[in-house]
């Protein structure tokens, strides 16, 4: 992503908030800078996209440059859940439980065509959930089958941009899905 | 003087308790739920619960045409994706009695072997990581990137290519393919010595794997364990030798059999297999004949009515494809005999009496890929 | 042992086995009651020695349900295909062979899950892939799922 695009948050109409206190804005900027550069994901790889996620963490396309230092095995300690792979009917309650166990603020990246919309299994499969956003709210969608590691890194940078827009005055709360 | 109170002393025996190595676990290599019944730290019983990635591929195949099924087979055992494709392509070609050009057979064999090396590299890196040696993760993936570069140059994608089609290949290989493969072999022969230095000779690794998870030859045959896990127990099951396909009959390679069938032996089998694969590639890479990259096929492929079966040697064992056709462009019933399904069924049998930490080592040495189990 | 001798042998063991034409394997249709006994003999007799069951499939031919066994001998290198049919689509049952070939345990659970064929004397016959409370058997031809499956 070009640096100009990365820093250009003003044009994101969707996320525009009303102007805040100048002091709070500087504090917000610093806190959000810290949070966006240190996102720790949960190990959740169901199928083929998991291999590309591992490859992104390996030495060539290094995840750790972007602050994703380690993978946490326990959902209580993780910030983001990267849903890499197909989610099926049997796995959906497990995913929901994992998401509920994560503590706020939490984010979700849907990686791969299967997590975005069901992917190659959209037609004629009796057991696949067509897109992980039927189960948990998603922040960033990364398409591809499987997406290249560079694509996943682009997705992570988009998430970083999203985090930088948050403010202490209206902290991110998870909406309870019924 | 204090009164000594005699309390009734209960004979405290350790009771069995069940723990759940749940679907989301760093070292189950996917979404597999193991309900392990433990007594202290010893495993008494183990029940695998599959189905957390069951996508219904066999039902989907009944609605797709044969070229479309190739794309689905990629996603079953995604680490040996080409070999899965190869099985379906061979089946369709045999049923339609189509003769593919020699060039296609050579390229398919070479790419299959490259895929096998890539799969074993990934196995090695996750095996080391599960046992605690995180360096293995980086070494294995670094070297795997070189193979993925070759694939990307010729086929356009890193992991799932769907490069083989019934009748031949999607497109011809890149002109630099042979040069790059030869450079890779030279590079990897040096690096595989590092692998041996790092993990094979490591005292901790040897203590954790020697004598653990022993599988006898009769059990291996009865449970249908094939591939490197079966060969480690002495079961000679290499489909490339018994029912050759491609140009494996022109290449000279050994089928190495083990004796004890323990975890260390299964580990060594895969290291040997990487060497043998490199030998096969070296023998074939310079002799790729010129020619077409595909035979002439009709636009719509309809297999004549009847049954067909094709066996190939995937990276993890014997993959079988069984098709019952009624003359249409989609199969009536398509069944994949997946190697990981049988390999998993033996996990209960060989891990009785081991400690729970050994379970991770045994599971890593059996090398199962869960989407292939659940299809 | 070549196919002609093998054919005589099998017909000798089970006279009412029906031979079926097949280009690839020697194929017989065995009555369900005789299957277990034949399987035991196939494994234990030393000149047959079929110790490797390499594929166990269930097929839904609409008029009947079929279980297909593909066997190989690791010592003699001959192969065989056996089929067992049952007409009963509701409670069709076939004898299990998992006491002879241990690999059949999981395969038979899969066939029960996806096709609904029961296996008598199986140690643990329950669904393998789908949830315990799933209704229906997906691989059957009359399985209806309006939401997911597109009928063209």
């Amino acid at each position: 992503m070009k640096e100009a695009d990365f820093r250009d948050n003003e044009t994101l109409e969707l996320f525009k908030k009303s102007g805040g206190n100048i002091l709070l804005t500087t504090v917000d900027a610093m806190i959000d800078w810290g949070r966006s550069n240190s996102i720790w994901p949960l190990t959740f790889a169901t199928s083929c996209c998991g291999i590309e996620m591992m490859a992104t963490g390996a030495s060539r396309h290094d995840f750790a440059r972007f602050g994703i230092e380690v993978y946490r095995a326990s959902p209580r300690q993780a910030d983001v859940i990267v849903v890499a792979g197909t989610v099926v009917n049997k796995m959906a309650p497990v995913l929901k439980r994992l998401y509920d166990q994560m503590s706020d603020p939490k984010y979700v990246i849907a990686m791969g065509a299967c997590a975005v919309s069901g992917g190659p299994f959209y037609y004629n499969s009796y057991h696949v959930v067509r897109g992980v956003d039927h189960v948990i709210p998603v922040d960033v969608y990364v398409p591809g089958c499987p997406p290249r590691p560079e694509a996943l890194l682009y997705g992570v940078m988009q998430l970083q941009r999203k985090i930088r827009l948050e403010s202490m005055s209206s902290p991110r709360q998870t909406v309870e899905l019924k | 003087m204090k009164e000594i109170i005699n309390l009734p002393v209960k004979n405290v025996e350790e009771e069995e308790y069940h723990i759940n190595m749940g679907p989301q676990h760093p070292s189950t290599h996917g979404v597999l739920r193991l309900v392990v019944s433990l007594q202290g730290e010893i495993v008494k019983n183990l029940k695998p619960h599959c189905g957390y990635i069951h996508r219904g591929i066999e039902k989907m195949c009944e609605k797709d045409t044969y070229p479309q099924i190739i794309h689905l087979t990629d996603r079953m055992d995604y680490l040996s994706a080409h070999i899965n494709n190869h099985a379906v392509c061979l089946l369709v070609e045999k049923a339609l009695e189509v003769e593919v050009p020699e060039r296609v057979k050579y390229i398919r064999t070479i790419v299959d072997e490259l895929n096998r090396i890539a799969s074993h590299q990934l196995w090695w890196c996750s095996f080391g990581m599960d046992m605690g040696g995180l360096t293995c993760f980086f070494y294995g993936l670094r070297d795997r990137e070189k193979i993925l570069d070759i694939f990307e140059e010729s086929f356009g994608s890193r992991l799932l290519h769907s490069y083989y089609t019934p009748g031949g290949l999607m497109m011809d290989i890149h002109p630099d393919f042979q040069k790059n493969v030869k450079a890779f072999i030279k590079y990897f022969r040096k690096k595989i010595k590092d692998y041996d230095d790092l993990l094979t000779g490591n005292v901790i690794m040897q203590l954790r794997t020697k004598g653990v998870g022993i599988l006898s030859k009769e059990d291996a045959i009865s449970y249908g364990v094939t591939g490197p896990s079966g060969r480690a127990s002495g079961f000679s099951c290499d489909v490339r030798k018994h029912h050759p396909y491609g140009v494996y009959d022109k290449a000279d390679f050994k089928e190495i059999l083990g004796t004890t069938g323990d975890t260390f032996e299964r580990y060594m089998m895969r290291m040997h297999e990487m060497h043998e694969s490199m030998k096969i590639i070296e023998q074939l890479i310079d002799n790729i004949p010129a020619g077409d990259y595909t035979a002439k096929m009709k636009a719509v492929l309809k297999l004549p009515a009847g049954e067909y079966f094709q066996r190939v040697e995937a990276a993890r064992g014997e993959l079988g494809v069984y098709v019952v056709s009624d003359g249409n462009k989609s199969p009536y019933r398509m069944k994949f005999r997946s190697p990981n399904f049988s390999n998993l069924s033996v996990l209960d049998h060989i891990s009785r009496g081991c400690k729970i930490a050994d379970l991770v080592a045994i599971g890593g040495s059996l090398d199962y890929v869960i989407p292939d189990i659940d299809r | 042992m070549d196919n002609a001798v093998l054919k005589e042998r099998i017909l000798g063991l089970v006279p009412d086995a029906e031979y079926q034409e097949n280009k690839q394997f020697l194929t017989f249709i065995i009555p369900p009651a005789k299957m277990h006994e034949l399987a035991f003999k196939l494994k234990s007799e030393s000149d047959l020695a079929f110790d490797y069951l390499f594929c166990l499939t269930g097929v839904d031919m609409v008029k009947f349900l079929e279980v297909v066994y593909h066997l190989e001998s690791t010592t003699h290198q001959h192969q065989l295909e056996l089929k067992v049919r049952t007409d009963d689509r509701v409670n069709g049952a076939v004898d299990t062979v998992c006491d002879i070939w241990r690999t059949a345990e999981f395969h038979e659970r899969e066939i029960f899950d996806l096709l609904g064929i029961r296996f008598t004397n199986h140690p643990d016959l329950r669904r393998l892939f789908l949830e315990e409370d799933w209704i229906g058997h997906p691989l059957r031809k009359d399985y209806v799922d309006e939401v997911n499956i597109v009928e063209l």
Side-chain angles (χ1 to χ4, degrees):
Chain A
M1 177 183 302
K2 293 204 175 66
E3 202 195 334
D5 289 334
F6 186 75
R7 294 198 181 283
D8 178 23
N9 275 325
E10 270 67 49
T11 56
L12 285 174
E13 293 292 318
L14 283 167
F15 302 125
K16 207 155 186 190
K17 300 208 170 83
S18 52
N21 193 341
I22 189 81
L23 189 62
L24 211 51
T25 327
T26 324
V27 170
D28 270 344
M30 207 171 74
I31 292 179
D32 287 335
W33 170 83
R35 274 177 44 216
S36 67
N37 280 331
S38 148
I39 315 175
W40 286 4
L42 177 66
T43 55
F44 188 84
T46 46
S47 62
C48 350
C49 287
I51 304 295
E52 286 297 274
M53 194 163 74
M54 281 163 65
T56 318
S59 45
R60 191 190 232 189
H61 323 269
D62 194 5
F63 239 2
R65 294 180 286 167
F66 292 86
I68 300 174
E69 197 51 51
V70 285
Y71 277 88
R72 304 308 297 174
S74 158
R76 302 269 185 210
Q77 299 164 358
D79 292 317
V80 71
I81 178 166
V82 180
V83 183
T86 325
V87 173
V88 295
N89 286 352
K90 200 168 176 181
M91 191 67 193
V94 178
L95 177 60
K96 178 89 175 57
R97 206 188 308 164
L98 283 173
Y99 182 73
D100 288 338
Q101 281 180 337
M102 284 167 74
S103 42
D104 274 334
K106 52 192 171 185
Y107 305 94
V108 178
I109 296 182
M111 175 183 177
C114 293
V116 168
S117 70
F121 304 101
Y122 189 80
Y123 290 115
N124 299 328
S125 169
Y126 49 85
H127 205 228
V128 166
V129 175
R130 279 23 178 204
V132 82
D133 50 8
H134 288 280
V135 183
I136 53 181
V138 176
D139 289 299
V140 177
Y141 295 89
V142 182
C145 191
R148 286 196 58 117
E150 286 93 341
L152 180 61
L153 290 174
Y154 189 88
V156 167
M157 289 177 83
Q158 293 282 40
L159 183 65
Q160 286 180 334
R161 286 176 74 194
K162 201 169 176 180
I163 294 177
R164 281 178 193 218
L165 292 169
E166 291 181 11
S167 160
M168 266 168 43
S169 55
S170 54
R172 185 186 167 97
Q173 291 270 346
T174 309
V175 173
E176 270 307 313
L177 291 179
K178 290 287 170 285
Chain B
M1 184 130 134
K2 271 198 273 191
E3 265 191 16
I4 301 173
I5 305 172
N6 278 335
L7 291 169
V9 175
K10 212 164 50 163
N11 195 8
V12 177
E13 265 195 30
E14 281 169 1
E15 288 169 1
E16 268 186 34
Y17 60 100
H18 303 273
I19 69 162
N20 188 31
M21 282 174 76
Q24 186 257 341
H25 193 273
S27 59
T28 53
H29 303 284
V31 275
L32 177 66
R33 178 171 167 218
L34 296 172
V35 178
V36 186
S37 167
L38 294 170
Q39 191 172 33
E41 224 183 276
I42 313 282
V43 174
K44 288 284 165 211
N45 204 352
L46 192 150
K47 281 200 179 58
H49 288 249
C50 326
Y52 287 92
I53 188 84
H54 175 67
R55 299 178 272 205
I57 289 184
E58 291 183 357
K59 184 83 183 176
M60 287 169 77
C61 286
E62 293 174 11
K63 297 261 183 327
D64 284 340
T65 61
Y66 290 95
Q68 286 172 332
I69 289 175
I70 307 277
H71 296 264
L72 286 178
T73 53
D74 257 342
R75 278 131 183 102
M76 267 176 9
D77 179 3
Y78 42 82
L79 290 174
S80 46
H82 282 123
I83 309 179
N84 296 359
N85 294 349
H86 203 174
V88 177
C89 289
L90 283 175
L91 187 143
V92 173
E93 286 154 13
K94 198 160 65 173
L96 294 173
E97 287 166 8
V98 168
E99 187 62 40
V100 287
E102 275 297 300
R103 183 181 173 82
V104 168
K105 288 192 194 162
Y106 270 81
I107 294 178
R108 279 182 178 172
T109 312
I110 293 174
V111 171
D112 271 0
E113 291 303 309
L114 277 175
N115 209 344
R116 199 185 304 274
I117 297 179
S119 168
H120 286 323
Q121 280 173 333
L122 194 88
W123 156 79
W124 187 82
C125 84
S126 61
F127 186 61
M129 188 171 69
D130 284 343
M131 308 242 281
L134 203 55
T135 319
C136 307
F137 179 71
F138 295 105
Y139 275 29
L141 283 178
R142 171 198 68 187
D143 298 325
R144 188 161 181 261
E145 293 286 332
K146 299 264 181 315
I147 297 187
L148 296 184
D149 277 342
I150 299 176
F151 284 172
E152 193 179 354
E153 194 181 41
S154 284
F155 317 149
S157 151
R158 283 162 53 100
L159 193 64
L160 303 168
H161 322 268
S162 310
Y163 181 54
Y164 304 166
T165 59
L169 310 167
M170 278 257 201
M171 56 198 129
D172 210 349
I173 49 175
H174 195 269
D176 282 341
F177 182 77
Q178 284 166 301
K179 182 175 76 127
N180 287 341
V181 169
K182 285 200 276 220
F184 167 74
I185 303 261
K186 214 164 94 174
Y187 165 84
F188 194 55
R189 277 205 194 277
K190 282 193 295 239
K191 292 294 175 187
I192 207 169
K193 294 202 189 70
D194 283 346
Y195 287 20
D196 280 330
D197 284 338
L198 196 61
L199 201 57
T200 316
N202 191 329
V203 168
I204 302 178
M205 194 284 217
Q206 293 199 346
L207 282 176
R208 273 187 82 164
T209 53
K210 280 197 171 151
V212 165
I214 297 183
L215 179 66
S216 67
K217 182 175 172 190
E218 290 75 34
D219 280 336
I221 300 177
S222 179
Y223 277 96
V225 176
T226 50
S229 318
R231 288 197 273 284
S233 308
F235 173 24
S236 159
C237 56
D238 196 343
V239 181
R240 300 174 289 175
K241 286 278 188 203
H242 291 298
H243 310 273
Y245 55 95
V247 283
Y248 283 114
D249 40 2
K250 297 206 176 92
D252 172 38
F253 64 102
K254 290 199 286 279
E255 181 188 1
I256 303 174
L257 296 176
T259 42
T260 51
D262 63 359
T263 306
F264 187 69
E265 198 87 8
R266 288 192 279 273
Y267 170 88
M268 286 312 296
M269 281 301 120
R270 292 192 171 89
M271 302 303 280
H272 288 311
E273 239 181 54
M274 283 204 265
H275 283 283
E276 294 296 313
S277 291
M278 286 200 281
K279 235 166 58 175
I280 297 177
I281 298 178
E282 271 175 345
Q283 289 166 35
L284 296 176
I285 189 72
D286 282 322
N287 307 333
I288 304 182
D292 279 334
Y293 61 86
T294 180
K296 266 225 152 299
M297 300 287 277
K298 294 208 242 326
V300 176
L301 298 175
K302 289 193 181 172
L303 259 62
E307 299 174 359
Y308 307 95
F309 199 96
Q310 178 64 40
R311 305 159 82 162
V312 296
E313 176 79 13
R316 286 165 181 77
E318 178 188 322
L319 173 72
V321 181
Y322 174 59
V323 165
V324 176
S325 167
D326 56 353
N328 281 334
K329 53 184 184 179
S330 308
Y332 184 79
R333 166 81 166 107
M334 186 146 196
K335 153 92 179 180
F336 296 100
R337 185 263 181 214
S338 91
N340 295 292
F341 193 62
S342 314
N343 288 3
L344 180 72
S345 57
V346 87
L347 185 65
D348 181 20
H349 179 74
I350 60 177
S351 57
R352 295 203 177 174
C354 295
K355 300 200 179 52
I356 184 130
D358 292 333
L359 189 58
V360 173
I362 296 174
S365 74
L366 280 177
D367 188 22
Y368 40 76
V369 164
I370 314 290
D372 198 24
I373 298 177
D374 290 349
R375 276 164 273 129
Chain C
M1 200 189 281
D2 71 339
N3 277 354
V5 180
L6 196 53
K7 183 175 170 181
E8 295 305 315
R9 211 41 227 284
I10 304 286
L11 287 172
L13 286 172
V14 180
D16 41 344
E18 192 188 315
Y19 175 72
Q20 199 184 46
E21 278 298 325
N22 189 344
K23 276 186 271 193
Q24 215 172 347
F25 296 114
L26 185 65
T27 310
F28 287 98
I29 303 177
I30 310 282
K34 304 267 175 59
M35 181 63 204
H36 192 258
E37 194 195 313
L38 175 66
F40 184 70
K41 290 208 183 102
L42 285 174
K43 180 152 184 212
S44 51
E45 308 220 341
S46 58
D47 56 339
L48 293 170
F50 282 104
D51 48 357
Y52 178 32
L53 173 67
F54 62 90
C55 192
L56 180 52
T57 319
V59 188
D60 179 11
M61 309 290 204
V62 183
K63 297 200 254 321
F64 51 85
L65 295 167
E66 190 173 68
V67 180
V68 184
Y69 301 79
H70 284 89
L71 298 161
E72 189 180 12
S73 167
T74 51
T75 38
H76 302 295
Q77 307 293 330
H78 44 222
Q79 290 139 13
L80 183 63
E81 182 179 333
L82 298 174
K83 295 188 184 183
V84 177
R85 295 184 173 173
T86 166
D87 282 330
D88 189 353
R89 285 180 78 91
V90 179
N91 287 330
V94 171
D95 276 334
T96 184
V97 289
C98 69
D99 44 350
I100 303 171
W101 298 291
R102 299 298 299 271
T103 183
E105 214 174 304
F106 266 39
H107 281 99
E108 286 174 354
R109 275 180 69 184
E110 181 196 348
I111 295 178
F112 169 64
D113 189 6
L114 296 174
L115 277 166
I117 303 175
R118 305 193 142 268
F119 289 89
T120 48
N121 301 328
H122 192 278
D124 184 22
L125 193 68
R126 56 192 163 93
R127 284 192 181 265
L128 186 65
F129 293 145
L130 301 171
E131 292 94 321
E132 294 294 329
D133 51 0
W134 190 277
I135 301 171
H137 299 282
L139 272 178
R140 288 201 176 184
K141 293 294 171 184
D142 51 4
Y143 181 73
V144 173
D145 184 355
E146 303 89 29
V147 177
N148 288 327
I149 300 190
V150 177
E151 296 291 341
L152 290 165

